[in-house]
Amino acid sequence: MEKYENFTYELDGNLYINLTSKCTNDCTFCVRNEKSDYFGHKLWLAREPSAKEVIERLPEDISRYKEYVFCGFGEPTIKLPVLLEVAKEIKRRGGITRINTNGQANMIWKRDVTGELAPVIDKINVSLNEATAEAYAALCRPAFGEAAFAGLQEFAKKCAERGIDVWFSVVDVIGEEKTEKCREIAARCGVALRVRPYIA
């Protein structure tokens, strides 16, 4: 597999920030299992960038993009110190920040990191993907096993309590019954649920 240094890429009027190719999940449906690019952006990293390298790739005019989204082929919170430094700079300049995550940051870092995220992150999209711990473990194959399902819910709940705009996302192919169960989980955590169409 070819690897690149695409630390940032543009999509839908946003600038996406690609910090790592490592992930604590090994999702059966992940696009990276099939190819090295996403909508023409080659995202497998030859190496992980420093905060300085990412900041150098931010535009002078921060309003050029609607949002600055930490999302690539890996789990962005694995690179938490880099993420926080870059996000702090974006916020200093008046930009809007978002993380697309599997919600396992507190498990990865073995502590509650939501207090560090709250001052510099505006929005967090947590991939819920399934309606039960067993189904989630089978679909996403997390390093933390079935415990990851409760862990990501606790993470989302704590982020929401700190004032971050948080939502769970699921893909429409899971069906109405599971979607309804996911809606109940989201309500218990005090966050919204967004159902998105499956992208082949």
Side-chain angles (χ1 to χ4, degrees), residues 3-159:
K3 297 187 177 181
Y4 305 86
E5 291 192 8
N6 288 340
F7 306 141
T8 60
Y9 60 103
E10 296 178 38
L11 202 61
D12 300 328
N14 297 324
L15 188 71
Y16 283 72
I17 297 167
N18 186 24
L19 297 180
T20 183
S21 294
K22 296 173 188 162
C23 191
T24 48
N25 279 356
D26 180 23
C27 297
T28 56
F29 58 84
C30 189
V31 65
R32 65 194 230 153
N33 295 335
E34 307 295 327
K35 51 189 180 177
S36 64
D37 68 286
Y38 182 71
F39 287 101
H41 301 285
K42 298 185 184 301
L43 301 182
W44 276 110
L45 291 178
R47 63 183 181 84
E48 294 174 337
S50 66
K52 183 174 180 287
E53 286 176 305
V54 176
I55 289 166
E56 283 171 355
R57 298 190 185 200
L58 299 176
E60 195 101 344
D61 177 11
I62 212 77
S63 66
R64 181 174 158 190
Y65 297 103
K66 293 181 292 184
E67 293 180 357
Y68 291 79
V69 188
F70 294 91
C71 174
F73 263 178
E75 168 50 45
T77 63
I78 285 174
K79 300 299 292 180
L80 185 68
V82 175
L83 185 156
L84 291 171
E85 194 175 333
V86 175
K88 185 179 179 181
E89 177 60 20
I90 293 166
K91 292 307 299 172
R92 187 186 70 78
R93 298 196 211 169
I96 295 169
T97 54
R98 166 159 55 102
I99 302 175
N100 288 353
T101 177
N102 62 23
Q104 295 166 25
N106 288 351
M107 303 180 87
I108 293 165
W109 291 94
K110 298 182 174 64
R111 58 188 170 84
D112 180 8
V113 304
T114 60
E116 296 161 67
L117 294 171
V120 294
I121 299 297
D122 297 298
K123 306 176 182 182
I124 298 183
N125 169 21
V126 179
S127 299
L128 185 62
N129 292 326
E130 265 292 357
T132 66
E134 187 181 9
Y136 179 86
L139 183 71
C140 299
R141 300 183 292 204
F144 301 106
E146 288 187 15
F149 194 65
L152 69 85
Q153 290 176 56
E154 186 62 21
F155 172 78
K157 187 178 175 183
K158 284 180 174 172
C159 286

Side-chain angles (χ1 to χ4, degrees), residues 123-193:
K123 306 176 182 182
I124 298 183
N125 169 21
V126 179
S127 299
L128 185 62
N129 292 326
E130 265 292 357
T132 66
E134 187 181 9
Y136 179 86
L139 183 71
C140 299
R141 300 183 292 204
F144 301 106
E146 288 187 15
F149 194 65
L152 69 85
Q153 290 176 56
E154 186 62 21
F155 172 78
K157 187 178 175 183
K158 284 180 174 172
C159 286
E161 286 169 353
R162 293 187 187 275
I164 303 172
D165 178 12
V166 187
W167 63 89
F168 285 137
S169 63
V170 295
V171 180
D172 56 9
V173 291
I174 67 170
E176 280 184 36
E177 191 180 330
K178 284 185 176 183
T179 299
E180 202 45 51
K181 284 183 181 173
C182 290
R183 214 177 293 285
E184 290 168 14
I185 291 169
R188 284 200 300 272
C189 293
V191 306
L193 179 75

